Amino acid sequence: MQKVKVDLAERSYWIIAGRELLDGLGKMLLDLKVGKKCLVVSNKTVFGHYGEQVVNSLKQEGFAPEVALVEDGENAKSLDWAAKLYDKAVEARLDRTSPVIALGGGVIGDLAGFIAATFMRGVPLVQIPTTLLAQVDSSVGGKVAINHPKGKNLIGAFYQPRLVVADLTTLTTLPAREIRAGMAEVIKYGVIWDACFFEYLEQEGKNAMEMDYEVLQNIVVKSCSIKAQVVGRDERENNLRAILNYGHTIGHALETLTDYNFYSHGQAVAIGMAVAAEMAVKMGLIAEEMGRRITRLLAACGLPVTLPADFAPEAIVNCILLDKKNKQGLVSFILPEAIGKVGIYQFSPEQVLQYLKER
């Protein structure tokens, strides 16, 4: 077991990563000094694997958990499902000390986190991410949100969890596609922050895909450490934290255009990362070989790296125009300047459209 601290003064919290952690969840919550009534938010798939274990651990320490199960998939991140969870919280008579416990992947973490941030103006949030992507990215840093039909994560808040428990054992029940999706966010950290970590992934990425626990724990802990550093310096994305969106400008557009039913988040981000690397090469920010290193590593982890030809550039740009990172009509892209270093660049919609048409 390893621990990473997200240092945010009075909002600081620990990320705990290791194997067979769920049986100790109740004791971990006792240390947080939260109320005994709690709401466990999950879906049928994840709860079928780990729900009984989590509920029993809570009950053994005197907690009174209520369970709310939402539908699988990105469609659960909606105002309709949020309303159902508010109803469940009211029926359970939760109060401001009652924790909301997110048991699942990024969708569950985002939705439950949004409920925790807004119910009674904020109740404690505990993240139990069960996918690689959620363990290395979405459960950490305090971004919680639901989707609007016109765009991803348009309704949300910055709201930090009290604790993140990343039990690597939960990764054993994931399909290979989900492990690949998580690797996109892992590779992102190497590109934006740490060249040595990128090289480690070039050497060990295959072993991660084959469920080597030592490698998986190394990449979860390292990824969380990098994100903790970034968030600790810029909690509300005033500047530095924007680099965490590398690959997400195009990625979110692809998810929206396919109604969240074709690409996983990781697959969409991988394409976005490859496109951003191509843009950086074209602008002379990085050498062509450096761009190829990024796409090679993504492809080696089974991720797509090509923007589909049947996506109209105009449709992509229209989606990008709703991106939360845009300022004063300009589109923000995070582009690599080296392996381990990126910059924030602004383009007009017309420039982006021209690039997409010419590539």
Side-chain angles (χ1 to χ4, degrees):
M1 182 177 74
Q2 292 180 264
K3 298 173 71 175
V4 175
K5 186 177 183 181
V6 182
D7 194 352
L8 295 168
E10 72 277 4
R11 293 182 305 285
S12 298
Y13 56 95
W14 289 99
I15 304 162
I16 302 174
R19 298 173 66 178
E20 307 293 347
L21 299 178
L22 296 185
D23 286 335
L25 180 65
K27 291 182 179 178
M28 295 179 197
L29 261 65
L30 284 179
D31 293 338
L32 298 180
K33 296 181 172 55
V34 294
K36 291 303 176 75
K37 289 182 181 179
C38 55
L39 179 65
V40 178
V41 179
S42 189
N43 61 41
K44 289 182 180 180
T45 301
V46 175
F47 197 81
H49 288 301
Y50 307 109
E52 183 177 358
Q53 190 177 6
V54 165
V55 168
N56 287 342
S57 177
L58 292 169
K59 287 182 175 179
Q60 286 173 5
E61 302 303 331
F63 289 93
E66 293 284 340
V67 176
L69 301 182
V70 305
E71 68 174 298
D72 287 5
E74 191 78 22
N75 289 332
K77 284 176 56 174
S78 68
L79 284 170
D80 287 344
W81 274 108
K84 292 174 184 178
L85 293 181
Y86 290 134
D87 289 344
K88 184 72 173 181
V90 171
E91 292 166 7
R93 298 184 181 235
L94 301 188
D95 60 38
R96 283 184 170 175
T97 70
S98 303
V100 171
I101 300 167
L103 175 64
V107 168
I108 295 296
D110 279 357
L111 173 63
F114 180 75
I115 297 303
T118 51
F119 184 70
M120 292 190 170
R121 297 193 177 94
V123 299
L125 170 65
V126 175
Q127 293 274 15
I128 309 176
T130 59
T131 65
L132 180 59
L133 191 150
Q135 289 184 0
V136 301
D137 187 68
S138 60
S139 67
V140 179
K143 276 189 177 182
V144 296
I146 55 178
N147 298 330
H148 184 277
K150 295 293 185 181
K152 182 163 179 170
N153 296 336
L154 292 182
I155 307 166
F158 289 97
Y159 193 71
Q160 301 297 339
R162 295 285 303 279
L163 176 70
V164 178
V165 180
D167 189 336
L168 299 177
T169 312
T170 63
L171 303 182
T172 60
T173 53
L174 289 179
R177 181 175 187 259
E178 290 296 328
I179 297 295
R180 293 195 294 268
M183 287 301 294
E185 295 284 4
V186 172
I187 294 167
K188 176 190 77 176
Y189 291 117
V191 177
I192 70 170
W193 197 260
D194 191 324
C196 291
F197 185 46
F198 188 91
E199 291 172 6
Y200 176 80
L201 295 173
E202 288 179 311
Q203 298 166 7
E204 299 291 346
K206 181 180 178 181
N207 291 328
M209 303 298 296
E210 294 174 354
M211 300 300 294
D212 182 311
Y213 274 111
E214 181 178 352
V215 173
L216 283 171
Q217 182 157 322
N218 286 342
I219 65 175
V220 168
V221 170
K222 184 64 175 179
S223 297
C224 288
S225 177
I226 291 171
K227 188 163 188 180
Q229 292 177 64
V230 174
V231 172
R233 298 183 192 183
D234 179 17
E235 181 181 2
R236 293 182 173 268
E237 202 169 294
N238 294 314
N239 189 11
L240 177 66
R241 184 170 177 164
I243 70 174
L244 295 171
N245 293 306
Y246 173 55
H248 287 61
T249 302
I250 293 288
H252 281 175
L254 294 180
E255 289 180 273
T256 301
L257 288 171
T258 56
D259 294 324
Y260 310 106
N261 289 320
F262 187 78
Y263 293 108
S264 69
H265 177 67
Q267 289 175 318
V269 167
I271 294 172
M273 290 166 66
V275 171
E278 291 174 11
M279 292 176 70
V281 170
K282 187 171 183 179
M283 292 173 61
L285 297 176
I286 59 173
E288 191 170 342
E289 173 55 26
M290 191 171 293
R292 282 198 293 264
R293 279 183 70 192
I294 295 171
T295 55
R296 270 201 307 265
L297 181 54
L298 291 166
C301 291
L303 290 159
V305 294
T306 303
L307 193 64
D310 58 347
F311 279 84
E314 292 83 359
I316 294 173
V317 171
N318 285 336
C319 276
I320 291 174
L321 289 176
L322 290 173
D323 193 288
K324 301 179 297 301
K325 301 178 291 300
N326 297 341
K327 295 180 180 179
Q328 299 180 351
L330 296 177
V331 177
S332 294
F333 272 85
I334 312 303
L335 302 180
E337 299 173 342
I339 299 296
K341 184 177 185 294
V342 292
I344 304 170
Y345 292 82
Q346 308 286 334
F347 301 94
S348 70
E350 293 76 16
Q351 287 174 310
V352 178
L353 181 59
Q354 182 180 355
Y355 170 75
L356 291 176
K357 285 182 174 181
E358 292 178 350
R359 59 185 303 278

